[in-house]
Amino acid sequence: FIDRRPRSEMPALLNAADVVLVALRKQPLFEGALPSKTSEAMACGRPVVMTVAGEAAQMLERAGAGLAVGPESPQALADAVLKVKREPALAARMGRSGREFAVRELDRTALARRLEALLLGLVNAKVIMHLLNSLPQKPFEVMSIHDCFRCLPSYGNDLRWQYNTLLAEIAESELLSFILTQIVKRPV
């Protein structure tokens, strides 16, 4: 194990790994979690061994990028790591599959476009006008939940960076002008 490293060093460290371990405890909260290190490992073409249940395990299986074992199962974890170590062709195939999945499904621009399409499908001008009319008439501070809720310092910073990136891509898209056009009933 090594000490905490800066984010800028992570691609080199991930690329040097034979396998990337993503370990989460057995808690209901983590069943809906998609740890960012999973997509980073897949983007680097490294096979992943996860101790997790739920959405992350399903994504890993769908991507063919590694092996998921139950959380807090040390023997299953050891067996999975040894399987990847003993079967280099399997490890290489999982790494390639993960990389292909990351490029195809996890690209931030593609994610922003899918979110934009989803939001455009949900737009209802009457509801938006009602919401806008219900806002206070004076300026107020805008704060996201994640500005107040920090699990770990690096997690919060990474999450804010991801939100900022996604919001910047939405801002550059046609979504905001489309919504405003529906609200004011003229092109914006």
Side-chain angles (χ1 to χ4, degrees), residues 42-103:
M42 290 184 346
C44 288
R46 309 317 305 156
V48 178
V49 171
M50 299 181 108
T51 61
V52 66
E55 201 169 335
Q58 293 167 6
M59 181 184 75
L60 189 69
E61 182 179 321
R62 205 170 53 248
L67 303 172
V69 299
E72 300 179 23
S73 303
Q75 188 59 55
L77 171 61
D79 292 344
V81 169
L82 289 173
K83 181 177 181 78
V84 173
K85 174 75 174 156
R86 291 178 180 147
E87 299 182 35
L90 173 66
R93 187 169 55 251
M94 289 188 298
R96 279 191 309 275
S97 294
R99 169 76 180 155
E100 291 167 4
F101 182 87
V103 168

Side-chain angles (χ1 to χ4, degrees), residues 112 115 119 144 160-173 175-176:
L115 178 60
L119 293 174
S144 75
R160 274 189 291 285
W161 178 82
Q162 290 182 36
Y163 279 133
N164 287 340
T165 301
L166 188 59
L167 291 173
E169 290 173 2
I170 289 172
E172 293 172 4
S173 72
L175 177 64
L176 298 178

Side-chain angles (χ1 to χ4, degrees), residues 4-123:
R4 182 181 285 270
R5 307 304 311 155
R7 184 172 186 78
S8 61
E9 293 181 17
M10 293 314 298
L13 290 170
L14 288 171
N15 280 310
D18 294 325
V19 63
V20 175
L21 172 64
V22 178
L24 296 176
R25 298 194 64 133
K26 185 177 183 176
Q27 297 203 5
L29 170 70
F30 294 140
E31 290 182 15
L34 291 173
S36 61
K37 65 185 108 190
T38 307
S39 49
E40 292 167 353
M42 290 184 346
C44 288
R46 309 317 305 156
V48 178
V49 171
M50 299 181 108
T51 61
V52 66
E55 201 169 335
Q58 293 167 6
M59 181 184 75
L60 189 69
E61 182 179 321
R62 205 170 53 248
L67 303 172
V69 299
E72 300 179 23
S73 303
Q75 188 59 55
L77 171 61
D79 292 344
V81 169
L82 289 173
K83 181 177 181 78
V84 173
K85 174 75 174 156
R86 291 178 180 147
E87 299 182 35
L90 173 66
R93 187 169 55 251
M94 289 188 298
R96 279 191 309 275
S97 294
R99 169 76 180 155
E100 291 167 4
F101 182 87
V103 168
R104 184 179 67 249
E105 300 290 331
L106 303 177
D107 172 72
R108 281 187 169 79
T109 301
L111 289 172
R113 286 190 183 122
R114 285 199 297 258
L115 178 60
E116 177 183 29
L118 174 69
L119 293 174
L120 289 174
L122 299 174
V123 170

